[in-house]
Amino acid sequence: MNDHSKPTLDDVARAAGVSTATVSRCLNSPDQVIAATRLRVMQAVETLGYTPDFGGRALASRRTNTVGAIIPTMDNAIFARGLQSFQETLSRFGKTLLVASSNYDPAREREQMEALAGRGADGLLLIGSARPDMSTDYLRRRGIPFVRAWNLGSGDGHFVGFDNRAAAAMLAERVIAYGHRRLSMIAGVTQMNDRAADRMAGVRDAARAAGIADADLPVIEAAYTFEDGARAMGELMARTPRPSVVMCGNDVLAVGAMQRARELGLAMPADVSITGFDDIDLARVVTPELTTVRVPHRRMGEAAAEMLIRLITKQPVETHVKIPTAIVERGTLGPPRD
Amino acid sequence: MNDHSKPTLDDVARAAGVSTATVSRCLNSPDQVIAATRLRVMQAVETLGYTPDFGGRALASRRTNTVGAIIPTMDNAIFARGLQSFQETLSRFGKTLLVASSNYDPAREREQMEALAGRGADGLLLIGSARPDMSTDYLRRRGIPFVRAWNLGSGDGHFVGFDNRAAAAMLAERVIAYGHRRLSMIAGVTQMNDRAADRMAGVRDAARAAGIADADLPVIEAAYTFEDGARAMGELMARTPRPSVVMCGNDVLAVGAMQRARELGLAMPADVSITGFDDIDLARVVTPELTTVRVPHRRMGEAAAEMLIRLITKQPVETHVKIPTAIVERGTLGPPRD
DNA sequence: TTGTATGCGTTATCAC
DNA sequence: GTGATAACGCATACAA
């Protein structure tokens, strides 16, 4: 073996003076090999810098101990946290996580499904359930189990997530209980994003129940940045009558809105109340601190991993695991001035 | 083929009435196949839901078009952004990115190196250069090219990053020019993190040049959270004499420090000045806005990808690419009160 | 243009 | 306890 090409089982076997089978056994079931030979083999492995080739191994053993996750974007604190615990749980079970991102594009998500399937993923984690049937059909046809997280789906399949709609409705009810009537909302982009759509629907549910017509509840959809939140806030505050509260689809939008409110000289919550969703670290950093919905991402990541593993190992498993959410009241929600 | 096992090249070939070689060609060099057969083959591919097996493909072709990146943690806006552009650039060149995280642990990083090497990564992206030689030796021995990013290293190898030390020194000079003499610092954890260590060294460089002894420059190391920043701020503010400025190793720590300053009733910058590092979105959200160092992460990710690809394809390539940084003065830095 | 045959690095099934 | 050897799914040199 020359210095610039990777050593193979064969190289190790030759160096240790044993057969490839023995080397393989040393790596996979060490106790089936006598200590003396094992030592010699491990020695050779070390000095040669041998690492088993995943492709060959997968080919021969027909399993990869790999699971994939396709998330909309890596550039987002929310998925990061949940994913982190997903992967920690996975590695406790000896599985490796492969992460891919779809950029909120169903076509791209489908490509990533195929890429991960091709890489031999034993199972997949998907975010939400807003996607073409074709995509999930593909996974079913290949017999690749998958779990959808971050939201609860209604149909067949396995889900672990929050009831985004109910949580948003509950927060809106709280807002209304403070006496607000002129509600407004800065929603996340609902296109192909059921979390954003559900949160919007939840707010509308509560508003309607309180006798507020959809027409009297202005909603602006905004992408996931401070700037977009600020821009939407500007538009909302320019309306007549001016909303007394702005409910935001996530904390990032809410903080952007707060920023604009401050620039406009509006006091919170006296002049305008603002609510968020997710309770990321950010929510406790702004002044006043943000009233929002706590979403236990780590717990969800863990539950998703466990569900997926049960699915892969064909153990009995629940189909819908609901992770509870909670309203956390801080400083940005108060009674309206009038 | 039954419904619950994945189709192979052979299944497709049989379904389309051609040989496996032809199917393979349809997928890899379509123009070598006549349109009629190609159509038939693609048809079969579609209906069977065939996706090439990565393992088999890698084994047979001896290349993977995959590059790996090992980052300290996914739960961090800074790496997320740079990584995003790294991967975008990569995919423009038809390469797939595999991401692994080391949790700031060199041993874990080494494991991930082996995992990625075993998965056939054509090249690797590493963060910074504080790691055991053994780790880089391993990569060299296997002939896997790698680029170290986020900092400029001094030794052999390929780097793309910032001069963290010089940038920190420049900011400290600016601070001193404002008239500050009682400097202090909340540094990131410097253990196995050359970015944090360099930023600390830079501040000390400038302080010493201004006649401030190390002993008169209290430094607290803190992990990467708001809470740790706030805690360190509390300790610093309890000292006598109280520092007139707190330079932070990153924006997150700075924002944590700001939060504590506010709780202590300290006005910024009148009572205490605070500086950050990185210029993440957060810096423009807090009040007053944070004075910090802008670090063009996207540009760096892109440069790193290009460098790695040149390395992999054995094109000529620079060894040290320096990405410029800039001080952005906002509201948290001003002259000391006294 | 298409088919045949071989080998990639590993595991697993046999013998020994 | 260890060694041959036959798969695994695919790409490719070579033949047709």
Side-chain angles (χ1 to χ4, degrees), chain A:
Chain A
M1 169 213 142
N2 82 51
D3 259 8
H4 271 239
S5 86
K6 57 187 215 176
T8 70
L9 250 203
D10 216 63
D11 296 317
V12 179
R14 199 159 16 222
V18 297
S19 75
T20 62
T22 300
V23 179
S24 177
R25 273 187 290 256
C26 280
L27 269 35
N28 298 301
S29 33
D31 28 271
Q32 287 184 26
V33 141
I34 205 168
T37 33
R38 192 172 52 214
L39 195 69
R40 214 151 24 102
V41 168
M42 287 317 197
Q43 195 69 256
V45 165
E46 193 54 39
T47 58
L48 288 177
Y50 168 79
T51 304
D53 177 87
F54 178 81
R57 175 173 268 185
L59 210 49
S61 68
R62 311 183 58 62
R63 59 195 147 65
T64 62
N65 280 330
T66 292
V67 331
I70 308 177
I71 58 175
T73 168
M74 297 190 178
D75 197 358
N76 184 321
I78 297 165
F79 297 127
R81 186 129 32 112
L83 213 60
Q84 184 78 23
S85 69
F86 181 72
Q87 98 106 301
E88 285 165 9
T89 308
L90 245 31
S91 75
R92 283 213 316 274
F93 287 88
K95 304 221 169 274
T96 308
L97 175 62
L98 252 37
V99 183
S101 60
S102 67
N103 205 25
Y104 289 99
D105 174 359
R108 176 105 183 108
E109 188 190 47
R110 169 60 187 269
E111 286 174 26
Q112 300 286 26
M113 280 183 188
E114 301 192 15
L116 290 170
R119 283 192 138 76
D122 296 331
L124 245 49
L125 177 75
L126 305 177
I127 307 301
S129 39
R131 61 174 57 76
D133 284 341
M134 262 182 48
S135 296
T136 44
D137 287 348
Y138 169 79
L139 295 180
R140 280 190 253 267
R141 202 166 37 195
R142 303 229 354 171
I144 299 178
F146 59 96
V147 166
R148 282 163 284 186
W150 261 265
N151 200 7
L152 250 22
S154 44
D156 282 353
H158 297 81
F159 300 86
V160 37
F162 329 108
D163 189 336
N164 285 286
R165 184 166 185 163
M170 197 174 309
L171 180 58
E173 282 161 18
R174 181 77 58 98
V175 163
I176 291 165
Y178 266 98
H180 289 277
R181 301 291 300 171
R182 302 195 309 282
L183 271 57
S184 69
M185 182 166 190
I186 303 178
V189 177
T190 55
Q191 165 80 2
M192 282 291 127
N193 182 335
D194 54 351
R195 286 88 64 210
D198 281 1
R199 291 173 191 185
M200 185 167 115
V203 169
R204 286 227 154 104
D205 289 344
R208 275 196 293 263
I212 299 169
D214 281 5
D216 295 330
L217 200 172
V219 175
I220 298 181
E221 294 195 13
Y224 187 87
T225 69
F226 294 133
E227 284 72 21
D228 290 298
R231 190 177 314 130
M233 184 67 173
E235 292 181 37
L236 249 21
M237 291 299 98
R239 293 179 65 105
T240 349
R242 201 177 72 199
S244 64
V245 59
V246 179
M247 300 190 63
C248 301
N250 59 57
D251 288 351
V252 172
L253 291 175
V255 170
M258 288 180 68
Q259 196 176 8
R260 177 57 48 90
R262 184 164 299 112
E263 289 164 10
L264 293 173
L266 297 170
M268 293 161 284
D271 295 321
V272 62
S273 283
I274 293 183
T275 65
F277 204 111
D278 286 335
D279 193 25
I280 60 180
D281 289 346
L282 195 56
R284 289 193 323 275
V285 169
V286 287
T287 318
E289 297 186 3
L290 183 65
T291 290
T292 187
V293 177
R294 170 162 308 154
V295 171
H297 286 109
R298 293 195 56 82
R299 190 156 146 203
M300 193 199 49
E302 209 175 302
E306 282 162 3
M307 183 183 270
L308 196 46
I309 286 173
R310 296 186 75 82
L311 237 30
I312 291 171
T313 55
K314 300 184 192 310
Q315 297 175 61
V317 59
E318 290 181 87
T319 60
H320 291 66
V321 170
K322 182 172 165 180
I323 306 289
T325 57
I327 295 175
V328 300
E329 283 215 51
R330 292 200 270 247
T332 57
L333 171 61
R337 172 157 286 172
D338 38 60

Side-chain angles (χ1 to χ4, degrees), chain B residues 227-246:
Chain B
E227 284 71 21
D228 290 297
R231 189 176 314 127
M233 184 67 175
E235 292 181 37
L236 248 22
M237 291 301 97
R239 293 178 64 104
T240 350
R242 200 177 75 199
S244 63
V245 59
V246 179

Side-chain angles (χ1 to χ4, degrees), chain B:
Chain B
M1 170 211 138
N2 83 50
D3 259 8
H4 269 241
S5 85
K6 57 185 212 177
T8 69
L9 249 203
D10 218 63
D11 297 317
V12 179
R14 200 159 15 225
V18 297
S19 76
T20 60
T22 298
V23 179
S24 176
R25 276 188 287 257
C26 279
L27 268 35
N28 298 301
S29 34
D31 28 274
Q32 287 183 25
V33 162
I34 206 168
T37 31
R38 191 172 52 213
L39 196 70
R40 212 153 24 105
V41 169
M42 288 316 198
Q43 196 69 258
V45 166
E46 193 56 37
T47 57
L48 289 177
Y50 169 76
T51 304
D53 178 85
F54 177 80
R57 175 172 268 186
L59 212 48
S61 68
R62 314 185 55 62
R63 60 194 147 63
T64 63
N65 280 331
T66 291
V67 331
I70 308 176
I71 57 176
T73 169
M74 297 192 179
D75 198 359
N76 183 319
I78 296 166
F79 297 127
R81 186 128 34 108
L83 214 60
Q84 185 78 21
S85 67
F86 181 72
Q87 99 106 299
E88 285 165 11
T89 308
L90 244 33
S91 75
R92 284 214 316 274
F93 287 88
K95 305 221 168 275
T96 308
L97 175 64
L98 251 41
V99 184
S101 59
S102 67
N103 206 23
Y104 288 98
D105 175 358
R108 176 105 183 107
E109 188 189 47
R110 170 58 187 269
E111 284 174 27
Q112 299 287 24
M113 280 183 189
E114 300 192 15
L116 290 170
R119 282 195 141 77
D122 296 330
L124 245 49
L125 177 76
L126 305 177
I127 307 300
S129 37
R131 62 176 57 76
D133 284 339
M134 263 181 48
S135 296
T136 44
D137 287 348
Y138 169 79
L139 296 180
R140 279 190 253 269
R141 200 166 39 196
R142 302 225 359 168
I144 299 178
F146 60 96
V147 165
R148 281 163 283 183
W150 262 266
N151 201 6
L152 252 20
S154 44
D156 282 354
H158 297 81
F159 301 86
V160 38
F162 328 108
D163 188 337
N164 285 286
R165 184 164 183 166
M170 198 173 309
L171 180 58
E173 283 162 17
R174 183 76 58 99
V175 163
I176 291 166
Y178 266 98
H180 289 278
R181 301 290 301 172
R182 302 195 309 280
L183 273 56
S184 70
M185 184 168 188
I186 303 178
V189 177
T190 56
Q191 166 79 0
M192 280 293 127
N193 181 336
D194 52 352
R195 285 87 63 210
D198 281 1
R199 291 173 190 184
M200 185 167 116
V203 168
R204 287 224 154 107
D205 288 344
R208 275 196 294 263
I212 299 168
D214 281 6
D216 295 329
L217 201 173
V219 175
I220 297 180
E221 293 194 12
Y224 187 89
T225 70
F226 294 133
E227 284 71 21
D228 290 297
R231 189 176 314 127
M233 184 67 175
E235 292 181 37
L236 248 22
M237 291 301 97
R239 293 178 64 104
T240 350
R242 200 177 75 199
S244 63
V245 59
V246 179
M247 301 189 62
C248 300
N250 60 56
D251 287 351
V252 172
L253 291 175
V255 170
M258 286 180 69
Q259 197 177 4
R260 178 56 49 87
R262 182 165 300 111
E263 289 165 10
L264 294 172
L266 297 170
M268 292 161 283
D271 295 323
V272 62
S273 283
I274 293 185
T275 64
F277 204 113
D278 287 335
D279 193 25
I280 59 179
D281 289 346
L282 194 56
R284 289 194 320 277
V285 169
V286 288
T287 318
E289 297 187 2
L290 183 64
T291 291
T292 187
V293 177
R294 171 162 308 153
V295 172
H297 285 109
R298 294 196 55 82
R299 196 160 141 200
M300 194 200 48
E302 210 176 301
E306 284 164 2
M307 184 183 270
L308 195 47
I309 287 174
R310 297 185 74 82
L311 236 32
I312 291 171
T313 55
K314 298 187 194 306
Q315 298 173 59
V317 59
E318 290 180 86
T319 59
H320 290 66
V321 170
K322 182 173 164 183
I323 306 289
T325 58
I327 296 176
V328 297
E329 284 215 51
R330 293 198 269 246
T332 57
L333 172 61
R337 171 156 286 174
D338 40 61

